[in-house]
Amino acid sequence: MRKPIQYPMQQYQPLTGMIPPITIRDFKGVNTLDPFSIPDNMFTDMMNFTTSDYPTLSVRPGYTQLGSTVGTKVLGLGACKDKEIHAVFNDGTWRKWNGSSWVQLANNLDTSADWSFTNFQGNLTDINLIGTNGVNGLRRYDGTSVQSFGNAPANLNYVTTYQNRLWGASGKELRASALDRPDLWNTFAGNEEDSYAKDIESSRGENINMLSGGLTKLIVGMPNAIKELYGGLPSDFNDRLITEDEGFSNNKSAVTHEGIMRFIHKIGLFTFTGGVLPDKSFSDIVSRYFSQTSNESVSGTDGTRIYFNLPPDTLLVYDPRSHVQSWSVWKGIKVTQFLMFQNELYIGDSQGRVLRLGGSNDAGLPINWSATTKPYTSETVAQKMRWLKMWTHWELDTGSTLNVYLSDTANGDDWELVQTVVGTGRKIERILIPVNKFTLSNMIRIKFEGYGWARLHELTRKFRLLPLK
């Protein structure tokens, strides 16, 4: 009987320093703080991605243009009873959108002053869209035509509603119409239905540049001060100082969403809930962009996200949902006005276009995008590493293109293209990232760049730690 030949099985010592694969499947937007210290699921730079589909990261929505271009800049956007969109262009016209074209309602208006709008009825037969620009006096649209009305000061600006009155500003003077009488601004009979007028003082002698009736108090803003108006009748109206350290870039720089005001000031982006000092801790992680704030900055909301425009074409987009609370950066839209109409966001731009946000391209053109990761390292940058594998999972629309670049430095533009993929349809695919040229790098940064619709689902890296040297 033959005995089977048996060979001793080799016993190998396990490799030291092997790290299980590190997978990221929830992506939290951009963070401009120290790149070595931020979480792995945040990016040091980003363009045209959104966290709308959190935990994935997808390309921002595109836009469609309403009608043809008018003039070269949109000076105001308003909505009459959430049924009609109105726009003022820098050709001096006020127009409404009829579903297919812009119909002119007024002309010979100032060609540079921004407009503010509000809806108000009072003693009028129906709700009117009322607007001012500080030059052409108070105007109202009654459903048929635009007309001047009332005896408000010709330079009245920043019209808003509060306590059944229209409010506006005339330089340092805060003005209000008589109770339920949007046409009467100089009625001082000594009763509770009177108009109201008072100079609002600040230590810097600034004019009022923002009014908002969207919180429980009327907010009176200046470039470097905030005041609130208390009381409900002329006899007890009383303004109280909140701060003289922060204020508003302009009347368009503030937006109210779910009872919280967020606004742009030259030193940052702030939240304000009324009665307490403004706070900017929510925006510290995007502080690198604050140098772009200007008197032309605009804020808006689509009902979910908050948009902060930093000229000429940067949009900081904040997702305030409690499980997200992250930032994205959009490029390519030169915003001058925002309007939420029928739960959709509309944009007026510096090219005389009115845009509706939505879709997968920008008026037929593909959207360019990019995202740069932090430098991925071990616990210390001095630790030598052997990179074994790296892969990612994406959805790419047909024709969309993804380029993957690697760098072994903490910053700079020393990128090397290692992979290119063209989409064949919206299916999740694994994409291998070749790391052979970076096998012994102490760190690796990844940049995803491309165009067309795409969505990032996963990023995984696997490496081995070598002896510390």
Side-chain angles (χ1 to χ4, degrees):
M1 182 176 180
R2 295 181 179 179
K3 294 183 178 180
I5 300 174
Q6 295 181 337
Y7 297 95
M9 183 175 293
Q10 295 293 330
Q11 299 293 324
Y12 294 99
Q13 294 294 323
L15 290 174
T16 60
M18 291 297 295
I19 303 296
I22 299 175
T23 298
I24 306 169
R25 287 181 179 165
D26 66 316
F27 298 95
K28 280 291 189 77
V30 70
N31 188 326
T32 65
L33 301 179
D34 172 51
F36 289 109
S37 304
I38 67 176
D40 284 2
N41 63 349
M42 304 191 86
F43 296 85
T44 61
D45 197 14
M46 177 184 290
M47 181 180 72
N48 289 337
F49 278 105
T50 176
T51 56
S52 298
D53 300 322
Y54 177 83
T56 63
L57 196 70
S58 56
V59 175
R60 69 159 171 83
Y63 57 76
T64 55
Q65 181 177 345
L66 272 63
S68 58
T69 300
V70 182
T72 58
K73 186 179 182 181
V74 179
L75 300 176
L77 281 180
C80 182
K81 298 188 291 186
D82 206 33
K83 294 181 179 179
E84 294 177 352
I85 296 177
H86 289 241
V88 179
F89 301 90
N90 71 341
D91 67 342
T93 62
W94 175 327
R95 301 169 185 255
K96 75 172 182 178
W97 176 248
N98 68 0
S100 59
S101 63
W102 291 103
V103 178
Q104 182 174 306
L105 299 173
N107 58 8
N108 297 322
L109 301 173
D110 187 88
T111 58
S112 61
D114 283 324
W115 283 73
S116 55
F117 293 96
T118 191
N119 284 270
F120 190 80
Q121 181 170 353
N123 71 332
L124 303 173
T125 57
D126 196 3
I127 294 175
N128 282 213
L129 177 64
I130 298 173
T132 58
N133 67 349
V135 179
N136 295 121
L138 203 61
R139 304 284 179 117
R140 70 183 176 96
Y141 169 73
D142 60 5
T144 303
S145 63
V146 172
Q147 54 197 278
S148 299
F149 79 108
N151 60 355
N155 67 343
L156 188 80
N157 211 350
Y158 318 128
V159 66
T160 190
T161 57
Y162 177 71
Q163 296 286 4
N164 285 17
R165 303 171 193 269
L166 282 183
W167 293 78
S170 176
K172 295 180 176 63
E173 190 175 44
L174 178 64
R175 300 293 301 264
S177 69
L179 185 67
D180 287 325
R181 293 297 303 267
D183 57 330
L184 299 181
W185 294 76
N186 295 298
T187 300
F188 303 103
N191 59 53
E192 304 300 357
E193 297 181 358
D194 276 354
S195 308
Y196 181 77
K198 182 186 177 182
D199 279 350
I200 305 298
E201 299 179 358
S202 71
S203 61
R204 307 188 198 200
E206 296 174 331
N207 288 338
I208 298 169
N209 74 340
M210 197 286 300
L211 291 177
S212 174
L215 299 180
T216 57
K217 305 290 187 296
L218 179 71
I219 309 302
V220 182
M222 301 175 191
N224 293 284
I226 301 175
K227 293 195 174 186
E228 288 183 328
L229 188 76
Y230 287 72
L233 299 169
S235 60
D236 62 2
F237 283 143
N238 179 34
D239 60 280
R240 298 184 185 180
L241 177 67
I242 299 298
T243 181
E244 286 193 322
D245 293 322
E246 299 90 27
F248 300 86
S249 294
N250 57 70
N251 192 61
K252 303 179 296 181
S253 67
V255 61
T256 300
H257 174 256
E258 295 184 347
I260 300 173
M261 175 178 285
R262 295 178 173 88
F263 64 90
I264 303 172
H265 181 48
K266 61 185 178 182
I267 63 171
L269 312 179
F270 290 81
T271 61
F272 179 61
T273 55
V276 296
L277 291 173
D279 176 72
K280 68 181 182 72
S281 59
F282 85 112
S283 65
D284 284 343
I285 66 172
V286 289
S287 58
R288 186 180 74 197
Y289 295 95
F290 293 166
S291 61
Q292 295 178 244
T293 61
S294 78
N295 291 337
E296 298 297 319
S297 297
V298 190
S299 299
T301 180
D302 61 6
T304 300
R305 288 161 295 277
I306 316 297
Y307 299 81
F308 302 94
N309 165 253
L310 308 179
D313 68 342
T314 298
L315 271 174
L316 293 182
V317 184
Y318 180 60
D319 190 333
R321 292 177 294 173
S322 59
H323 60 291
V324 185
Q325 295 184 342
S326 64
W327 291 87
S328 305
V329 182
W330 297 5
K331 290 278 191 177
I333 308 176
K334 297 181 178 180
V335 180
T336 60
Q337 305 285 335
F338 281 118
L339 172 70
M340 188 168 69
F341 175 76
Q342 295 181 352
N343 299 314
E344 292 185 293
L345 185 65
Y346 289 77
I347 296 169
D349 74 2
S350 62
Q351 298 173 248
R353 303 181 301 173
V354 177
L355 312 173
R356 179 173 57 235
L357 197 65
S360 59
N361 57 67
D362 287 349
L365 299 176
I367 300 170
N368 295 317
W369 43 263
S370 65
T372 304
T373 70
K374 61 176 286 184
Y376 293 127
T377 69
S378 62
E379 290 297 319
T380 171
V381 182
Q383 179 88 55
K384 288 292 184 181
M385 307 170 67
R386 180 179 293 277
W387 293 90
L388 303 175
K389 289 183 180 180
M390 192 177 292
W391 64 89
T392 181
H393 282 80
W394 285 77
E395 284 180 83
L396 294 171
D397 208 355
T398 302
S400 296
T401 297
L402 164 67
N403 293 315
V404 184
Y405 299 83
L406 296 182
S407 166
D408 59 1
T409 61
N411 50 39
D413 294 319
D414 56 336
W415 297 105
E416 181 165 341
L417 178 65
V418 297
Q419 184 66 280
T420 296
V421 179
V422 178
T424 58
R426 295 198 180 188
K427 54 185 178 181
I428 302 175
E429 296 186 71
R430 187 178 74 155
I431 298 169
L432 296 176
I433 303 176
V435 295
N436 52 307
K437 291 186 179 181
F438 299 84
T439 301
L440 296 177
S441 299
N442 286 39
M443 68 185 78
I444 287 184
R445 284 185 301 150
I446 309 167
K447 181 167 75 170
F448 300 111
E449 189 176 78
Y451 59 86
W453 186 88
R455 180 184 288 137
L456 171 61
H457 286 265
E458 178 187 307
L459 175 61
T460 300
R461 63 191 192 272
K462 182 174 176 58
F463 57 88
R464 177 190 173 200
L465 294 178
L466 300 179
L468 184 65
K469 292 184 179 179

